[in-house]
Amino acid sequence: MNSTDRVLACLNHEEPDRLPVFALGFDYFFCDTFYREIGFTRQEKENYAKDGLFFAPPYNFPIHLKMGVDVGWFSVAGGIHVEEGQMVDTFGSIQTAIVKDGIPMNWFGGPYLTSETKIKEWWAKDRPKKYGASLFGTLKKKRDILLKNHHGFCLIGGIPGPFELISMPLGFALMSKLMRKKPELVHELMERNWIVSREALRRQLKEGQKIIMCGDDLGMNEGLLLRKEQWQTFIKPTLKKYVDEVHNGGGKFILHSCGKIESLFPDFVGIGIDGVESLKPQLNNLNKLKEKFGKQISFLGCVDDTHLLFEGTQEEVYKTVQNQCKILGKGGGFIPGGTNFIGNIPIANYQAMVRAIKEYKFS
Amino acid sequence: MSLSKTPENNMEKFPAWLYMLIWPSSKDGRLKDAAKNYHLKFIFEFDDFPPACILEIKEGDFQVTPLTLVESKSLRNKKSSGIDGWVIGSFDKLIAVSWSLKATIGGILSRKIRIRGVFKFLKLLKIIGYKGPFSENQNRGNGGALNE
């Protein structure tokens, strides 16, 4: 079995020869440590450069390969506009970059569509615009090379999910207000975003993408970021369209969502989501979820990267991860790895996690 | 001292984006290989996305230094400043290449983007490995994606 076979077996609820290691990506802090402590040999550098695999964090696949990862993610991003001295993505989220002590990072910088007037002006400028076509070629090229030259490495494609495409551009205050007072405007926004997203999903499927994961953070540590009923009214119908589109194109659909989201699992199963990624174990009762939904939905991530990988010992990491493999891996449906982009954690702990996953034997 | 590790390397806005674009190839050693015999200095000054900055590539390393508008204009006009060229105008027009190459060419033709030292600029793009907005070091992995 190669890495992609293992991933597909897991998603089909079969036990593979060994569990595959998942990584959402490695951020700038981790890359900085990696290059100081490990780095690449000249030969590796030449090979990866020849394959065109070097990329900006978090999708720097040579690092995935060197760390022993089997499956990674490449989520294509909407284009950028410059508005009022800020970079704003085509859906209306401000994108911020900073450099601190020589290490760069970029992240969501706040909402740009902060009023109904701004939303309408945005639409008047014919935004959101569709994704740049060459993105899909880049994704396909990387996926095919990783598959062919690197032990069947599995590259999952992706785009942002429907909730992030309204919560980030509008901000929570305006989004909640509009959900209460102008639901028709929220539905229109969802529909306009969906038209652009649908095209991006179709392009990825047309390029042969078999697994698509959409990032759509719905939770925080304490619970959902919006009321469950609001999610069911405004977000779920569009998320179902994502799932159906991917299934109709012959693919598997995975949802990435941080936070405590276990209350949404019945809905996830109901709309046919194939897997959920992140699933921080201290926020979600994974054993219970596995028992209840484990035959219908796969679990990805699940290894605590804020405490265990960050401050645990290598022995603790190894033991905890092997125990998770035993419980969650039974009958397939488990693709373990850190719950989010890997940041400034000790590299030895990450290696202990990879060893624990690869050395786990199904009984 | 390595150019990219100077302690004052805290920045935001356009200089931070430029720095972030080059940082990966600087860390993994590709910049060192590509630029070991080069010394290039370019000014970037975009009215819609300040502040201006100088990008200096020297002996395989790089430095981004934010500039005030006054400093940028003064350096651009001074023959002895050691500047190899500059790119000024609208950053929005420049990155419109992500929608269509036509829009960016239109920006250049309408002088909304102006480039001095075109051949050295093309050399600079080659050295930093920039092949286009969606090629290997286009860094918006986290844009849609870093929002996750």
Side-chain angles (χ1 to χ4, degrees):
Chain A
M1 270 184 152
N2 67 23
S3 298
T4 296
D5 297 333
R6 289 183 188 108
V7 171
L8 288 170
C10 287
L11 290 175
N12 287 322
H13 301 276
E14 295 158 9
E15 289 180 358
D17 59 343
R18 70 159 173 82
L19 287 170
V21 180
F22 172 81
L24 197 67
F26 296 95
D27 82 1
Y28 289 89
F29 282 107
F30 188 90
C31 291
D32 188 56
T33 314
F34 174 88
Y35 285 119
R36 275 189 281 110
E37 293 184 10
I38 298 181
F40 299 113
T41 64
R42 180 156 283 279
Q43 187 62 51
E44 285 171 333
K45 219 161 63 178
E46 281 172 14
N47 288 345
Y48 294 141
K50 198 174 87 196
D51 282 350
L53 292 179
F54 282 110
F55 204 81
Y59 306 135
N60 205 345
F61 298 111
I63 295 183
H64 288 65
L65 295 170
K66 187 98 181 202
M67 296 308 297
V69 171
D70 295 285
V71 46
W73 184 46
F74 184 104
S75 184
V76 298
I80 282 287
H81 310 280
V82 180
E83 294 286 344
E84 299 172 29
Q86 303 177 99
M87 287 181 92
V88 182
D89 82 11
T90 199
F91 296 98
S93 298
I94 295 170
Q95 302 291 324
T96 304
I98 60 162
V99 176
K100 192 165 166 23
D101 298 330
I103 300 179
M105 56 200 93
N106 76 313
W107 210 258
F108 167 58
Y112 182 72
L113 306 181
T114 48
S115 66
E116 280 184 60
T117 313
K118 274 193 152 181
I119 295 170
K120 286 179 178 159
E121 283 171 2
W122 198 251
W123 291 347
K125 288 181 183 173
D126 197 24
R127 296 170 185 172
K129 286 189 182 288
K130 63 180 184 182
Y131 286 78
S134 54
L135 275 169
F136 306 105
T138 301
L139 170 59
K140 180 185 187 311
K141 200 171 146 198
K142 286 187 192 302
R143 187 194 67 221
D144 290 351
I145 284 172
L146 284 162
L147 181 70
K148 193 173 145 220
N149 296 355
H150 300 281
H151 310 290
F153 184 95
C154 178
L155 185 57
I156 296 176
I159 55 167
F163 178 61
E164 288 195 352
L165 293 185
I166 63 161
S167 61
M168 289 177 171
L170 304 186
F172 286 103
L174 181 62
M175 182 190 71
S176 306
K177 183 180 155 195
L178 293 178
M179 281 178 172
R180 288 194 317 275
K181 308 224 164 171
K182 298 236 170 129
E184 68 290 346
L185 188 66
V186 180
H187 286 302
E188 187 177 352
L189 195 54
M190 299 291 297
E191 185 57 25
R192 284 173 183 260
N193 290 345
W194 164 241
I195 290 166
V196 176
S197 301
R198 180 180 61 199
E199 176 65 16
L201 290 173
R202 285 183 180 169
R203 287 297 304 267
Q204 292 193 31
L205 292 160
K206 197 178 151 201
E207 299 286 8
Q209 195 62 46
K210 292 286 177 219
I211 310 171
I212 292 181
M213 177 162 76
C214 291
D216 213 29
D217 286 340
L218 300 163
M220 52 185 167
N221 287 355
E222 290 76 25
L224 298 178
L225 285 161
L226 74 173
R227 284 192 299 117
K228 189 176 168 185
E229 297 72 28
Q230 284 177 319
W231 179 81
Q232 286 168 329
T233 305
F234 293 98
I235 313 299
K236 185 180 165 186
T238 306
L239 187 60
K240 185 176 185 309
K241 289 183 191 171
Y242 274 63
V243 179
D244 291 346
E245 194 69 43
V246 173
H247 285 172
N248 291 339
K252 298 270 188 196
F253 184 88
I254 297 168
L255 180 77
H256 161 94
S257 170
C258 293
K260 184 175 166 68
I261 56 166
E262 57 190 0
S263 63
L264 296 180
F265 261 69
D267 294 84
F268 292 160
V269 170
I271 59 174
I273 288 176
D274 297 291
V276 178
E277 195 280 324
S278 193
L279 298 177
K280 196 164 278 182
Q282 59 271 56
L283 305 180
N284 301 283
N285 187 338
L286 297 183
N287 298 359
K288 202 171 140 197
L289 289 173
K290 174 78 180 177
E291 203 181 301
K292 221 167 162 188
F293 305 105
K295 288 196 170 72
Q296 295 139 296
I297 203 161
S298 296
F299 297 66
L300 290 87
C302 307
V303 177
D304 169 23
D305 49 15
T306 46
H307 298 289
L308 180 69
L309 292 184
F310 186 66
E311 57 200 6
T313 64
Q314 290 175 53
E315 292 71 31
E316 282 166 346
V317 170
Y318 190 92
K319 247 181 157 168
T320 310
V321 174
Q322 280 245 321
N323 192 42
Q324 278 191 296
C325 293
K326 191 175 167 190
I327 297 166
L328 300 175
K330 203 174 172 193
F334 183 45
I335 304 175
T339 60
N340 212 312
F341 293 120
I342 298 300
N344 51 347
I345 63 161
I347 286 189
N349 277 3
Y350 195 83
Q351 289 168 324
M353 178 197 77
V354 171
R355 267 200 315 279
I357 295 168
K358 289 191 171 176
E359 288 171 9
Y360 174 74
K361 301 256 183 287
F362 289 101
S363 50
Chain B
M1 181 183 277
S2 162
L3 281 174
S4 56
K5 284 182 187 161
T6 50
E8 63 273 24
N9 260 339
N10 293 334
M11 57 190 92
E12 53 183 25
K13 296 219 163 181
F14 178 76
W17 284 100
L18 183 63
Y19 185 97
M20 194 164 64
L21 183 78
I22 304 169
W23 187 86
S25 64
S26 157
K27 293 302 287 188
D28 63 39
R30 284 176 296 149
L31 184 71
K32 204 169 185 102
D33 295 340
K36 60 186 168 198
N37 299 322
Y38 288 97
H39 186 188
L40 288 169
K41 255 173 131 175
F42 260 78
I43 288 179
F44 294 85
E45 183 191 308
F46 298 112
D47 303 336
D48 55 353
F49 197 34
C53 62
I54 290 184
L55 168 63
E56 183 177 7
I57 304 268
K58 190 180 177 184
E59 293 161 5
D61 211 339
F62 82 105
Q63 183 162 11
V64 176
T65 311
L67 299 171
T68 64
L69 206 54
V70 175
E71 286 169 338
S72 170
K73 286 205 163 96
S74 146
L75 282 170
R76 283 203 283 116
N77 293 328
K78 206 157 93 188
K79 284 199 171 159
S80 58
S81 59
I83 300 294
D84 293 295
W86 38 256
V87 183
I88 63 171
S90 161
F91 191 63
D92 192 52
K93 286 282 171 207
L94 189 71
I95 56 167
V97 74
S98 61
W99 315 121
S100 75
L101 185 60
K102 220 164 114 186
T104 298
I105 292 170
I108 293 171
L109 292 178
S110 64
R111 294 178 66 77
K112 283 181 179 155
I113 305 161
R114 291 163 61 201
I115 303 172
R116 171 70 57 87
V118 174
F119 292 109
K120 284 192 175 171
F121 182 62
L122 293 173
K123 184 83 225 168
L124 179 74
L125 292 182
K126 196 174 169 198
I127 287 170
I128 64 175
Y130 189 76
K131 293 171 189 160
F134 298 124
S135 63
E136 68 182 65
N137 64 354
Q138 183 263 352
N139 182 20
R140 290 214 45 255
N142 249 15
L146 274 191
N147 291 336
E148 316 317 331

